Amino acid sequence: MTIHSDLLAALIFLGFGIVAIVIGWGYGFGSPAALGSGAMPMLVGAGLCAMGVVQLVQNAAARRAGQQFVSAFPRRELRPLLLILAAVLAFGLLIDRLGLLPALAALVGISWFADSGGRKREMLAVMVCVGVLLVAIFYFGLGIPFRLVSWRF
């Protein structure tokens, strides 16, 4: 089954809306005169669910009219998507164990292969520039105590 972009958008709206309603339900809605802490997540979740239902209805109407749909994940775009997701996952897994700079190197190195036209020298230049900028901004500028390099396993 091919997942089309309109159907995927509707399912994402519905999924996030249901999660927001369930989370908000645990906080309590309150009353119309004194809204509780769960009112905002529940109202936003209801809005997301409503948008998801509207999107599903539009999708069904367009399907009946014979409209052609665009696949949400064309085969040529699947490789970059998976590599970018893998790069973000690697960054998240490595930042505590190895520190900021090795995690950034992994992030840039893995995501670089999402584009087929990049050269290795350019990748190294991007790694150095990103590393220097992030260390300057977050470590020295803002004083966030990242471990720059930490070889803990």
Short mmCIF file of all heavy atoms in Angstrom, two decimals, residues 17 19-31 34-46:
data_model
loop_
_atom_site.label_atom_id
_atom_site.label_comp_id
_atom_site.label_asym_id
_atom_site.label_seq_id
_atom_site.Cartn_x
_atom_site.Cartn_y
_atom_site.Cartn_z
N GLY A 17 -3.06 14.73 17.85
CA GLY A 17 -4.24 15.22 18.55
C GLY A 17 -4.71 14.27 19.63
O GLY A 17 -5.02 14.69 20.75
N VAL A 19 -2.86 12.03 21.19
CA VAL A 19 -1.86 12.04 22.26
C VAL A 19 -2.04 13.28 23.15
O VAL A 19 -1.98 13.18 24.38
CB VAL A 19 -0.43 11.97 21.67
CG1 VAL A 19 0.62 12.29 22.72
CG2 VAL A 19 -0.18 10.61 21.07
N ALA A 20 -2.28 14.43 22.56
CA ALA A 20 -2.47 15.66 23.34
C ALA A 20 -3.72 15.57 24.21
O ALA A 20 -3.70 16.00 25.37
CB ALA A 20 -2.56 16.87 22.41
N ILE A 21 -4.79 14.99 23.68
CA ILE A 21 -6.01 14.84 24.47
C ILE A 21 -5.78 13.89 25.64
O ILE A 21 -6.19 14.17 26.77
CB ILE A 21 -7.18 14.37 23.58
CG1 ILE A 21 -7.61 15.50 22.65
CG2 ILE A 21 -8.36 13.90 24.42
CD1 ILE A 21 -8.60 15.09 21.59
N VAL A 22 -5.10 12.78 25.39
CA VAL A 22 -4.84 11.82 26.47
C VAL A 22 -3.96 12.43 27.55
O VAL A 22 -4.21 12.26 28.75
CB VAL A 22 -4.21 10.53 25.89
CG1 VAL A 22 -3.68 9.64 26.98
CG2 VAL A 22 -5.23 9.79 25.04
N ILE A 23 -2.93 13.17 27.16
CA ILE A 23 -2.05 13.81 28.14
C ILE A 23 -2.82 14.88 28.91
O ILE A 23 -2.72 14.99 30.13
CB ILE A 23 -0.80 14.40 27.45
CG1 ILE A 23 0.11 13.27 26.98
CG2 ILE A 23 -0.06 15.34 28.38
CD1 ILE A 23 1.28 13.72 26.14
N GLY A 24 -3.59 15.70 28.21
CA GLY A 24 -4.36 16.75 28.86
C GLY A 24 -5.43 16.21 29.80
O GLY A 24 -5.76 16.82 30.82
N TRP A 25 -5.98 15.04 29.46
CA TRP A 25 -7.02 14.43 30.28
C TRP A 25 -6.50 14.14 31.69
O TRP A 25 -7.21 14.29 32.68
CB TRP A 25 -7.49 13.14 29.63
CG TRP A 25 -8.71 12.57 30.25
CD1 TRP A 25 -8.79 11.70 31.29
CD2 TRP A 25 -10.06 12.84 29.87
NE1 TRP A 25 -10.08 11.40 31.57
CE2 TRP A 25 -10.88 12.09 30.71
CE3 TRP A 25 -10.63 13.63 28.89
CZ2 TRP A 25 -12.26 12.13 30.62
CZ3 TRP A 25 -12.00 13.67 28.79
CH2 TRP A 25 -12.79 12.92 29.64
N GLY A 26 -5.25 13.75 31.79
CA GLY A 26 -4.65 13.45 33.09
C GLY A 26 -4.48 14.69 33.97
O GLY A 26 -4.41 14.58 35.19
N TYR A 27 -4.41 15.87 33.38
CA TYR A 27 -4.25 17.10 34.15
C TYR A 27 -5.58 17.70 34.60
O TYR A 27 -5.60 18.54 35.48
CB TYR A 27 -3.49 18.15 33.34
CG TYR A 27 -2.04 17.82 33.14
CD1 TYR A 27 -1.54 17.60 31.88
CD2 TYR A 27 -1.18 17.72 34.22
CE1 TYR A 27 -0.20 17.30 31.68
CE2 TYR A 27 0.16 17.42 34.04
CZ TYR A 27 0.63 17.21 32.77
OH TYR A 27 1.95 16.92 32.58
N GLY A 28 -6.66 17.29 33.98
CA GLY A 28 -7.98 17.83 34.33
C GLY A 28 -8.30 19.08 33.53
O GLY A 28 -7.47 19.96 33.35
N PHE A 29 -9.52 19.13 33.03
CA PHE A 29 -9.94 20.23 32.18
C PHE A 29 -10.34 21.46 32.99
O PHE A 29 -10.13 22.58 32.58
CB PHE A 29 -11.12 19.78 31.30
CG PHE A 29 -11.47 20.76 30.22
CD1 PHE A 29 -10.75 20.78 29.04
CD2 PHE A 29 -12.48 21.69 30.39
CE1 PHE A 29 -11.05 21.68 28.04
CE2 PHE A 29 -12.79 22.60 29.39
CZ PHE A 29 -12.07 22.60 28.22
N GLY A 30 -10.93 21.25 34.16
CA GLY A 30 -11.43 22.36 34.94
C GLY A 30 -12.85 22.70 34.53
O GLY A 30 -13.58 21.86 34.01
N SER A 31 -13.25 23.93 34.75
CA SER A 31 -14.58 24.39 34.37
C SER A 31 -14.42 25.56 33.40
O SER A 31 -13.34 26.14 33.29
CB SER A 31 -15.36 24.83 35.62
OG SER A 31 -14.77 25.98 36.18
N ALA A 34 -13.02 28.47 35.33
CA ALA A 34 -11.64 28.32 35.81
C ALA A 34 -11.03 27.11 35.11
O ALA A 34 -11.14 25.99 35.60
CB ALA A 34 -11.63 28.15 37.32
N LEU A 35 -10.41 27.36 33.97
CA LEU A 35 -9.83 26.27 33.19
C LEU A 35 -8.66 25.66 33.95
O LEU A 35 -7.86 26.36 34.58
CB LEU A 35 -9.37 26.77 31.83
CG LEU A 35 -10.47 27.23 30.87
CD1 LEU A 35 -9.85 27.79 29.61
CD2 LEU A 35 -11.39 26.08 30.55
N GLY A 36 -8.57 24.34 33.87
CA GLY A 36 -7.48 23.63 34.51
C GLY A 36 -6.26 23.56 33.62
O GLY A 36 -6.25 24.05 32.48
N SER A 37 -5.21 22.93 34.12
CA SER A 37 -3.97 22.85 33.37
C SER A 37 -4.06 21.92 32.16
O SER A 37 -3.23 21.99 31.26
CB SER A 37 -2.83 22.40 34.29
OG SER A 37 -3.14 21.15 34.87
N GLY A 38 -5.07 21.08 32.11
CA GLY A 38 -5.23 20.19 30.97
C GLY A 38 -6.11 20.75 29.86
O GLY A 38 -6.27 20.13 28.81
N ALA A 39 -6.66 21.95 30.08
CA ALA A 39 -7.58 22.51 29.09
C ALA A 39 -6.87 22.82 27.77
O ALA A 39 -7.36 22.49 26.69
CB ALA A 39 -8.24 23.77 29.64
N MET A 40 -5.71 23.45 27.86
CA MET A 40 -5.01 23.85 26.63
C MET A 40 -4.57 22.64 25.81
O MET A 40 -4.82 22.62 24.59
CB MET A 40 -3.82 24.75 26.98
CG MET A 40 -3.24 25.42 25.81
SD MET A 40 -4.48 26.51 25.08
CE MET A 40 -3.55 27.20 23.77
N PRO A 41 -3.92 21.63 26.41
CA PRO A 41 -3.57 20.47 25.58
C PRO A 41 -4.79 19.77 24.99
O PRO A 41 -4.74 19.31 23.84
CB PRO A 41 -2.85 19.53 26.55
CG PRO A 41 -2.42 20.37 27.68
CD PRO A 41 -3.36 21.52 27.75
N MET A 42 -5.88 19.72 25.74
CA MET A 42 -7.08 19.06 25.22
C MET A 42 -7.71 19.86 24.08
O MET A 42 -8.15 19.28 23.08
CB MET A 42 -8.08 18.82 26.34
CG MET A 42 -7.61 17.75 27.32
SD MET A 42 -8.68 17.56 28.72
CE MET A 42 -10.10 16.81 27.97
N LEU A 43 -7.75 21.18 24.20
CA LEU A 43 -8.32 22.01 23.14
C LEU A 43 -7.45 21.97 21.87
O LEU A 43 -7.97 21.88 20.76
CB LEU A 43 -8.51 23.44 23.62
CG LEU A 43 -9.58 23.63 24.69
CD1 LEU A 43 -9.54 25.05 25.24
CD2 LEU A 43 -10.96 23.30 24.14
N VAL A 44 -6.14 22.05 22.06
CA VAL A 44 -5.24 21.95 20.90
C VAL A 44 -5.35 20.57 20.26
O VAL A 44 -5.38 20.44 19.03
CB VAL A 44 -3.79 22.28 21.32
CG1 VAL A 44 -2.81 21.95 20.21
CG2 VAL A 44 -3.67 23.74 21.71
N GLY A 45 -5.41 19.52 21.08
CA GLY A 45 -5.56 18.16 20.57
C GLY A 45 -6.87 17.99 19.81
O GLY A 45 -6.91 17.33 18.76
N ALA A 46 -7.94 18.60 20.32
CA ALA A 46 -9.23 18.53 19.61
C ALA A 46 -9.14 19.25 18.27
O ALA A 46 -9.69 18.78 17.27
CB ALA A 46 -10.33 19.12 20.47
#
